[in-house]
Amino acid sequence: MESELYVKGSVNVKNRLEKIRKEHGIKQEDLAVALEVSRQTIGSLENGRYNPSIILAFKIAKYFGMSIEEIFIYEEDEIK
């Protein structure tokens, strides 16, 4: 499952955080503690209501041993 967040109508940011977290058998609370954020922050990220700071994106990627691009997908619509 990918979460989506639309920003300014032409930028689409998706993430695979929930899927990756569940594949690793990690609870939201445990991930939040490891990343030093609230469980609500994890929930908001997974639901596409919030985009992480670049620092948090790096922490998440490092935690799972993945690249940022494997977790967060940035898509920009072509301006016509």
Side-chain angles (χ1 to χ4, degrees):
M1 180 175 142
E2 291 180 352
S3 296
E4 293 185 31
L5 178 65
Y6 293 96
V7 181
K8 297 183 184 177
S10 65
V11 176
N12 185 14
V13 179
K14 298 179 182 180
N15 77 70
R16 299 176 49 238
L17 182 57
E18 181 177 14
K19 181 177 189 243
I20 293 165
R21 177 182 59 77
K22 287 181 176 181
E23 286 173 352
H24 285 82
I26 299 165
K27 295 179 182 177
Q28 280 186 345
E29 181 66 32
D30 295 333
L31 181 58
V33 169
L35 299 175
E36 300 177 326
V37 297
S38 70
R39 188 206 53 77
Q40 289 83 359
T41 296
I42 301 301
S44 292
L45 285 167
E46 291 182 352
N47 291 320
R49 291 188 307 261
Y50 171 71
N51 281 327
S53 67
I54 191 68
I55 301 297
L56 182 53
F58 272 110
K59 284 183 174 183
I60 292 167
K62 184 176 180 181
Y63 180 86
F64 288 109
M66 302 173 82
S67 69
I68 290 174
E69 293 84 357
E70 290 175 291
I71 302 168
F72 299 95
I73 302 101
Y74 173 85
E75 297 174 347
E76 191 169 356
D77 293 339
E78 239 181 75
I79 299 173
K80 296 179 181 182

